[in-house]
Amino acid sequence: MIRRVALVAFASVVLLFYIPFLALGYYVTGGGELKMPSLSMVTTTFLLAALTAVVSIAVAYPAAYYLAKRGSELEFALVTAPLWVGTLLKAYSLLVLFAIVKERTGLALWGTAAGVLLGMVYEYVPYALLTLYAAIEKLSESPVNAARVLGASRLQAFLRVELPLSMPGVAAAFILVFLFAMGEVIMPAVLGAWKVYTFGSYVWDLYFKARDFFSGSVLSLILAALSLLATYMVVRTIRSLSL
Amino acid sequence: MTPLRIYTWVLIVALYVPIGLMVALSFNNSKLPYVWGGFTLRWYEALFGWGQAWQALLNSAVIALAVSFTATLLGIFMAYVLRQDKYIAVSQVAVVMPEVSEALAFAAVLWLVKTYAGIDLFGPVGVFLAHLAYTLPMAHVLLAPYVAYVSRSAVEAARILGASELRTMFSVVMPILMPAFVATFLIVFANSFDTYIKTAFTTSPGFVTAPILLWNYAARGRGDPTIYALATFMLIPSLVAAAIYFRAVKRYG
């Protein structure tokens, strides 16, 4: 009985989540003229996603390290709570902040790539932090202690022992954030004012403006395939972590 | 460790500044965000008088409630029975799938149903199904770690004492998983309430949810402070969820 309910639930995951991708396949086989995104847009998307991942990891790493070693429950809760807030709300609050920044300092962030980058970092820092935290927390203390006993300074022990050991976590965080950022629609649309055009916005426009299911389906499937590949890589790096 | 601690706190503050600022400005008696015109509730009065906003908040709440209840309840069964890695992996992949791909796929299905079966599901039904599609695997993944707290001996004891399988589920397993159920319910609720992309692809012009309404303004610029008040209202589920979540999860120690 319980098993049956569980299997029905599982079947609905497959039915509701995975079967729709077959509908994309249907539109792909239907054929049509493929409107490929321009190269500059693909480059923008890649650069923006890669930068988002690098900056998020750089910002999150020290905090993740601290939380994994000495952090209190409250600090951990405060850092992860922003995950509960929707992307659109975050984008909108940054829009307001950007208006204030512009008035006070003359620095225009709205409609620029820097503004979009800032928004995406704001959104993905907690994701990067959680991934890094999970990796750093699992590290054993003994290699560091060994390094310290053998005369390494605290900094040396960190740079030459702990940092390399936490690299699989860094890789996992990079792939995760990069992937989310690749398909991002809201931040470029709201903070980029449609001037910073990315892959996500393109798929969006293909559906809402051009009603071009063929091109949209092809690009969505490419994005989905990339995501599958990346997930597989994350799972593999995290497994190798526990070895 | 002290510098790292200070750094962490600076980061925490930075994470809350934009949202906090927006909330503060929803009480600002000036249309300009960089001028503080004193405390006022007039934007909230405007919001209360704005029928469309209420309808949108209500629509979002109803969808989120239905979605979170269904997804969490089914998720418990899934997490309890389907513990093997292969099942969790299926849900895991769904969780990290890029939103646009997923939303377009769902819209494609709804189009096919509309074209070939003549049934137009765009609107509340489409939104409900699209939200269920992504929250079900999410609930599964979130609940999976907690089923380890249901000990085999407790379940076997109940069975030996004559409880049926279903009775065991409701009287033994469910109470142990209750805090996890509450936590997951809240996360799913906040998520469904706030989500924009999946809703946009599956709704009809007649069914407006709170994020859709906010987007209509946000994609064009700031709008007036009534929108800040709307956004502040939309924060409530997330804040409540976050506050209760940590307490609920703590019970597993």
Side-chain angles (χ1 to χ4, degrees):
Chain A
M1 170 64 202
I2 296 174
R3 210 177 154 74
R4 214 171 299 154
V5 177
L7 287 174
V8 166
F10 192 71
S12 26
V13 169
V14 174
L15 196 71
L16 284 169
F17 195 90
Y18 289 98
I19 298 292
F21 286 93
L22 289 181
L24 291 184
Y26 171 84
Y27 280 108
V28 170
T29 55
E33 195 196 334
L34 184 62
K35 269 184 250 154
M36 279 307 280
S38 69
L39 191 65
S40 73
M41 190 259 281
V42 174
T43 327
T44 313
T45 311
F46 259 93
L47 276 179
L48 211 52
L51 262 176
T52 303
V54 169
V55 176
S56 302
I57 290 168
V59 170
Y61 196 101
Y65 184 84
Y66 166 74
L67 286 174
K69 300 286 177 192
R70 298 270 148 80
S72 70
E73 235 167 84
L74 175 72
E75 286 162 333
F76 187 73
L78 283 173
V79 163
T80 46
L83 282 174
W84 280 215
V85 178
T87 317
L88 185 57
L89 279 176
K90 284 183 191 156
Y92 188 70
S93 65
L94 280 177
L95 196 63
V96 176
L97 184 70
F98 285 180
I100 298 174
V101 167
K102 185 166 185 206
E103 181 64 25
R104 284 286 141 89
T105 65
L107 180 68
L109 286 167
W110 190 46
T112 66
V116 177
L117 179 66
L118 199 65
M120 300 225 276
V121 169
Y122 179 49
E123 188 187 354
Y124 293 121
V125 157
Y127 287 92
L129 202 144
L130 273 187
T131 315
L132 292 169
Y133 172 86
I136 298 169
E137 206 203 12
K138 272 191 219 154
L139 296 181
S140 148
E141 285 287 330
S142 35
V144 186
N145 292 340
R148 297 278 282 137
V149 168
L150 291 171
S153 72
R154 225 174 161 158
L155 188 66
Q156 274 177 319
F158 170 74
L159 287 177
R160 301 184 58 176
V161 179
E162 278 188 296
L163 189 61
L165 282 174
S166 67
M167 268 337 224
V170 172
F174 182 87
I175 292 171
L176 193 73
V177 175
F178 181 76
L179 199 70
F180 281 139
M182 277 289 291
E184 177 77 52
V185 174
I186 294 177
M187 287 295 175
V190 173
L191 298 178
W194 298 102
K195 277 182 238 157
V196 182
Y197 209 61
T198 64
F199 201 79
S201 333
Y202 186 69
V203 174
W204 175 271
D205 279 349
L206 282 176
Y207 177 72
F208 282 101
K209 295 196 177 134
R211 288 276 159 191
D212 181 351
F213 262 115
F214 175 69
S215 305
S217 300
V218 172
L219 297 178
S220 281
L221 284 176
I222 292 174
L223 196 59
L226 268 177
S227 140
L228 267 180
L229 188 72
T231 314
Y232 174 73
M233 281 159 69
V234 170
V235 169
R236 278 197 50 187
T237 41
I238 287 180
R239 284 253 172 84
S240 69
L241 195 73
S242 57
L243 283 174
Chain B
M1 275 294 164
T2 322
L4 280 181
R5 182 165 191 192
I6 295 167
Y7 176 84
T8 306
W9 277 98
V10 170
L11 182 67
I12 290 172
V13 171
L15 285 174
Y16 288 90
V17 160
I19 293 170
L21 206 60
M22 185 186 65
V23 172
L25 289 172
S26 72
F27 296 103
N28 180 14
N29 194 10
S30 158
K31 281 206 171 200
L32 300 170
Y34 34 80
V35 177
W36 179 252
F39 180 87
T40 181
L41 285 174
R42 74 178 161 123
W43 309 117
Y44 284 90
E45 278 164 30
L47 183 70
F48 286 123
W50 184 17
Q52 204 192 1
W54 278 113
Q55 189 58 49
L57 285 166
L58 185 70
N59 286 345
S60 281
V62 169
I63 291 282
L65 206 60
V67 164
S68 47
F69 197 73
T70 318
T72 318
L73 201 61
L74 291 177
I76 284 241
F77 281 93
M78 274 163 74
Y80 185 63
V81 178
L82 310 172
R83 297 184 194 198
Q84 293 94 318
D85 278 350
K86 56 178 179 185
Y87 294 115
I88 296 174
V90 168
S91 293
Q92 199 96 54
V93 167
V95 169
V96 296
M97 188 65 79
E99 271 190 304
V100 256
S101 291
E102 195 184 322
L104 188 76
F106 217 87
V109 167
L110 295 185
W111 269 106
L112 286 179
V113 171
K114 194 177 168 183
T115 332
Y116 291 107
I119 309 166
D120 187 2
L121 291 176
F122 285 98
V125 179
V127 173
F128 173 75
L129 290 175
H131 283 208
L132 194 62
Y134 86 90
T135 51
L136 210 49
M138 195 171 139
H140 182 199
V141 170
L142 287 170
L143 287 163
Y146 296 106
V147 291
Y149 290 95
V150 182
S151 71
R152 197 165 281 274
S153 50
V155 174
E156 270 164 16
R159 296 285 280 140
I160 287 165
L161 292 170
S164 69
E165 213 182 345
L166 206 61
R167 180 70 202 264
T168 313
M169 188 72 190
F170 282 104
S171 307
V172 179
V173 177
M174 288 287 211
I176 298 173
L177 289 177
M178 205 51 191
F181 179 89
V182 172
T184 309
F185 181 90
L186 291 165
I187 296 180
V188 172
F189 184 89
N191 212 298
S192 163
F193 191 87
D194 276 349
T195 203
Y196 170 67
I197 294 175
K198 278 148 209 146
T199 315
F201 274 89
T202 52
T203 192
S204 59
F207 188 72
V208 174
T209 64
I212 300 262
L213 192 63
L214 181 60
W215 170 273
N216 289 344
Y217 290 90
R220 272 188 233 133
R222 274 180 292 113
D224 87 25
T226 316
I227 311 297
Y228 306 167
L230 174 71
T232 305
F233 254 81
M234 288 171 64
L235 272 176
I236 295 172
S238 310
L239 294 180
V240 173
I244 303 180
Y245 173 83
F246 290 104
R247 256 175 228 187
V249 169
K250 227 177 173 177
R251 294 179 58 178
Y252 290 103

